[in-house]
Amino acid sequence: MSDKPSEDSSSTPEVPDDVWEQFARANEKEAPKEPSARARLVTERLRQQESRGESPEAWRAGPPVLERKRGRRVWTVLGLLLALVVAVVALKPSLLPGGPFGSGTSDSAAESPLPEETAAPTAPPSSAAPATPTLDDPFAGSPAKRWADGEAGILAPKAEAVGGRPKADVAQALQLTRKLLISSNLDPATLRGERPEAALNILDPKQQDVLSDLETGLGKPDAKHDPLSMFSRFDPDEVRPVGDVVKVRGRMTFEAGEGTAVAVHADYTFVYPVVRTDGSTEVTRTIVRRVLDVELSDPAKYDITPGRLTVLRHDRDAGNSACDVHDGWFHPQFPSDGPTSAPPSGPTSDPYDRSKDISEEKDCGTVSRV
């Protein structure tokens, strides 16, 4: 009898120890683990909420990243705008409403044109900000900077019938007066000393005393025959105008005159910026105020020329022009000019002051500003 055991197909084959160990270890990793007690509670609570149709709350849900970025961008833009506003106000505080750091008047408002003068001023114009006139800005530092330019400053009032004269006659008197002022004080030819033909043709040739004095003054001026009493003239060999603007301010009124005449009263100030003709760039100004009273008389009652003006008064007051010189020219004084004669004996006056009548005193004085 043999000791070798007999082979039985139903018996379990023998497995090596190392293979069996690997098999056991693999089964241990893949085998499901029993959930903990807390996990079982959470699972049961979620199952109950789901059966009731409830959704679980988000776990520590924060705002989306996109929203947070957009919020930071908005605050960044607002911060930049605020910084820009602060910088602009720091440079120009007058832009703030109410003027917490001053008058609150902006530069544009300070230099805007003045409204038309409709009544006699009660005080001289306020002083402008100190500035030196230049070729580019000849009215710098002058209250005339806000005055009208040239003809725009000579406006006739609305005509109405007066003293038995129809509206048309009043309108004619006003327009003739306006034309006389323009031709006498703004015409470039008149300013450079040419014969003021247009102005002379407005005056009645039958008023011989006025025309004779003016004609003599234009030909051979002297103290008694001074063309400057009616016309503004500058020696072209001495000075020339700066630019083509003369500043003007004043008013014109009318009323019934004697014998159904239309009486017109005009009171205007003209400011002329000039420079020497020797190549200098130094700018100064001459200020001339004129008061003119004229009438358009009725040819049915008086021996006059129809459509011509009769002069009752023509007076002027010039600021910043040499005194006691009667050669028919205005002679402006420049800041760099030294004293050329004895000091003026007259009082100091403001040539821009339109609140006072033109003084009958013709003594040489000084001006407080130009």
Side-chain angles (χ1 to χ4, degrees), residues 160-299:
E160 297 179 355
V162 64
R165 299 295 293 274
K167 177 181 177 180
D169 288 352
V170 175
Q172 182 184 29
L174 293 172
Q175 291 305 318
L176 287 172
T177 304
R178 182 175 186 270
K179 184 178 179 181
L180 177 60
L181 289 166
I182 292 172
S183 302
S184 301
N185 300 281
L186 298 176
D187 187 342
T190 300
L191 296 181
R192 60 176 175 261
E194 297 182 18
R195 181 178 173 81
E197 201 67 49
L200 294 172
N201 288 337
I202 297 173
L203 305 180
D204 191 341
K206 293 184 178 181
Q207 194 179 15
Q208 287 293 328
D209 55 342
V210 173
L211 281 178
S212 177
D213 286 347
L214 292 176
E215 290 286 2
T216 300
L218 290 169
K220 294 182 179 180
D222 57 35
K224 293 183 179 181
H225 305 89
D226 190 351
L228 298 179
S229 64
M230 179 71 76
F231 311 113
S232 294
R233 308 167 81 236
F234 295 86
D235 187 349
D237 293 330
E238 179 183 345
V239 297
R240 61 176 177 84
V242 178
D244 56 0
V245 173
V246 175
K247 290 292 186 177
V248 182
R249 185 151 182 82
R251 68 193 183 282
M252 190 186 307
T253 58
F254 66 91
E255 63 183 5
E258 294 184 5
T260 66
V262 179
V264 180
H265 174 78
D267 184 344
Y268 287 89
T269 300
F270 304 86
V271 182
Y272 303 94
V274 295
V275 66
R276 295 188 187 92
T277 56
D278 60 3
S280 171
T281 59
E282 186 179 25
V283 177
T284 192
R285 295 178 288 254
T286 291
I287 303 96
V288 182
R289 182 182 175 190
R290 295 195 180 277
V291 173
L292 181 67
D293 289 310
V294 296
E295 281 187 346
L296 185 66
S297 300
D298 187 351

